[in-house]
Amino acid sequence: MVTRKIQADLEAIERNATLYQELNFNNRVEVLDTLEFHVFDRITGLLQASNFPTELLLLQQRAEAVKRQLEAIDATLFQRLREDIQMGHCRGASLLALINTYVGRGAGGEQAQAEIGYDNLDVFTNGLFPDLAFPSETQEREPEMVFYQKTPARIIFELVEKAQLTSADVLYDLGSGLGHVPILVNLLSGAATKGVEVEPAYCAYASACAAELNLPRVTFIQADARTADYSDGTVFFLYTPFAGRMLQQVLDRLRAEAQGRSIRLFTYGPCTLHLAQQDWLQCVDPAAIDLYKLAEFRSVTE
Ligand SMILES: C[S@@+](CC[C@H](N)C(=O)[O-])C[C@H]1O[C@@H](n2cnc3c(N)ncnc32)[C@H](O)[C@@H]1O
């Protein structure tokens, strides 16, 4: 009975010619998920209990063939887009329009979600990054240092939309991990971006990605955010990279920078609540003081 259902699901996928059209990215993501979590999983479960697995093994081979074909379409698409980026073509408004064509509305970060979830925009933007092996941590983190977790892409898009960066801006991502924020912000806005990351392996990975994509205005600095140089920074992004005293120490550094010029800070996650307590910062929209919203703060003259 279950085998028949899997067979029917698979046949429906095989017959759906639109899946093989490159623009049909969202449906491919959905079908690849279905294959992973409903087809392969169920076949594996059935295989364990079966004495006559021939039919199931054939079904598994068919599902694997479909998966390979669908993945090949995305691989070709992203290879081409990465080459376009390398040549300096696929940037700013044209990149945003292209992403909207593939992923649809949502690629503008217009609505906040009730949790830190990832969506098809993340799947798509991941594809723009070079296919390099993910690094492992090489250093033990101090207790107040938060582990690596990437900012959802819709929040990065919302940041770009709200920040309206100009060529005079330099955006810092404090605790930049594998480099998604500086790279995507630069690609979408053209502004100079810098990532400060304490973990050398993450910093090396992010630098390699920026070099491979030919993005000279993206820089990664391997440093502790408590001691980095922020003298050229105008906009700072924090996806809760550290907590407690460490966060306060970094904010004190930024407060000192704000004595000489006004700066803007964008936050996501629990650190937003901490920034909302700082008397030298004003929140642009107090309704955004929420764990799952992008909040914007401006330094006030003291
Ligand atoms: C929640 S992740 C954010 C990653 C990145 N901003 C992104 O959205 O893709 C926090 C990052 O901050 C880094 N980090 C933690 N403490 C740090 C410190 N004192 N200085 C620099 N980086 C730090 C961690 O190694 C981790 O990569």
Side-chain angles (χ1 to χ4, degrees):
M1 189 67 180
V2 184
T3 310
R4 294 286 154 264
K5 172 79 176 88
I6 299 172
Q7 199 165 13
D9 287 350
L10 197 52
E11 275 164 12
I13 294 172
E14 286 169 334
R15 274 200 311 270
N16 185 352
T18 64
L19 283 174
Y20 301 88
Q21 292 163 5
E22 198 191 60
L23 273 172
N24 214 346
F25 177 77
N26 283 335
N27 285 358
R28 264 195 310 283
V29 174
E30 202 179 303
V31 165
L32 283 166
D33 269 2
T34 304
L35 286 173
E36 206 61 56
F37 300 110
H38 298 289
V39 174
F40 290 120
D41 268 15
R42 282 188 295 175
I43 293 177
T44 307
L46 290 170
L47 276 171
Q48 281 162 2
S50 169
N51 292 326
F52 304 101
T54 315
E55 192 184 7
L56 284 167
L57 288 171
L58 286 173
L59 219 46
Q60 190 175 38
Q61 279 170 16
R62 267 172 64 188
E64 275 163 2
V66 173
K67 182 173 178 245
R68 273 196 302 275
Q69 284 171 26
L70 296 178
E71 285 177 340
I73 296 165
D74 289 335
T76 307
L77 162 67
F78 290 122
Q79 170 77 25
R80 191 180 72 242
L81 294 181
R82 286 194 298 268
E83 284 168 11
D84 284 350
I85 289 172
Q86 280 161 354
M87 290 188 292
H89 294 156
C90 206
R91 306 274 168 91
S94 70
L95 176 61
L96 187 62
L98 180 137
I99 294 175
N100 273 324
T101 312
Y102 282 91
V103 188
R105 282 183 53 75
E110 75 277 359
Q111 81 208 67
Q113 293 190 3
E115 56 186 44
I116 301 175
Y118 299 100
D119 56 30
N120 287 2
L121 188 55
D122 293 279
V123 183
F124 193 91
T125 51
N126 286 345
L128 301 179
F129 280 71
D131 198 7
L132 305 176
F134 286 124
S136 306
E137 276 183 306
T138 61
Q139 287 185 355
E140 203 169 311
R141 262 179 289 113
E142 291 178 35
E144 291 181 331
M145 294 179 170
V146 174
F147 60 89
Y148 173 70
Q149 185 172 21
K150 93 185 185 72
T151 306
R154 67 178 181 285
I155 298 296
I156 304 176
F157 279 55
E158 190 182 344
L159 166 67
V160 170
E161 195 178 297
K162 288 201 167 133
Q164 293 295 309
L165 300 166
T166 70
S167 56
D169 279 309
V170 178
L171 177 139
Y172 275 79
D173 180 20
L174 303 188
S176 49
L178 300 183
H180 283 250
V181 175
I183 288 177
L184 284 176
V185 170
N186 172 264
L187 279 176
L188 292 166
S189 71
T193 58
K194 297 189 176 185
V196 175
E197 172 56 50
V198 73
E199 169 51 56
Y202 293 169
C203 192
Y205 174 94
S207 298
C209 286
E212 181 120 352
L213 290 172
N214 187 22
L215 303 175
R217 303 196 77 211
V218 181
T219 314
F220 292 97
I221 302 147
Q222 195 261 307
D224 188 314
R226 285 171 290 187
T227 57
D229 173 11
Y230 300 121
S231 52
D232 59 350
T234 60
V235 178
F236 296 84
F237 175 70
L238 295 90
Y239 172 24
T240 311
F242 18 76
R245 215 177 116 65
M246 191 177 290
L247 176 57
Q248 190 55 51
Q249 283 174 307
V250 175
L251 291 177
D252 289 345
R253 290 278 326 279
L254 296 180
R255 181 183 193 155
E257 291 294 331
Q259 301 293 323
R261 62 190 192 283
S262 76
I263 59 173
R264 291 185 287 158
L265 284 76
F266 287 85
T267 59
Y268 184 59
C271 73
T272 297
L273 307 181
H274 193 91
L275 268 78
Q277 305 297 321
Q278 308 291 310
D279 60 7
W280 61 283
L281 289 175
Q282 190 171 33
C283 186
V284 171
D285 173 12
I289 299 178
D290 180 305
L291 293 190
Y292 303 118
K293 286 186 178 160
L294 180 73
E296 176 180 358
F297 297 88
R298 286 168 194 246
S299 62
V300 290
T301 337
E302 292 185 274

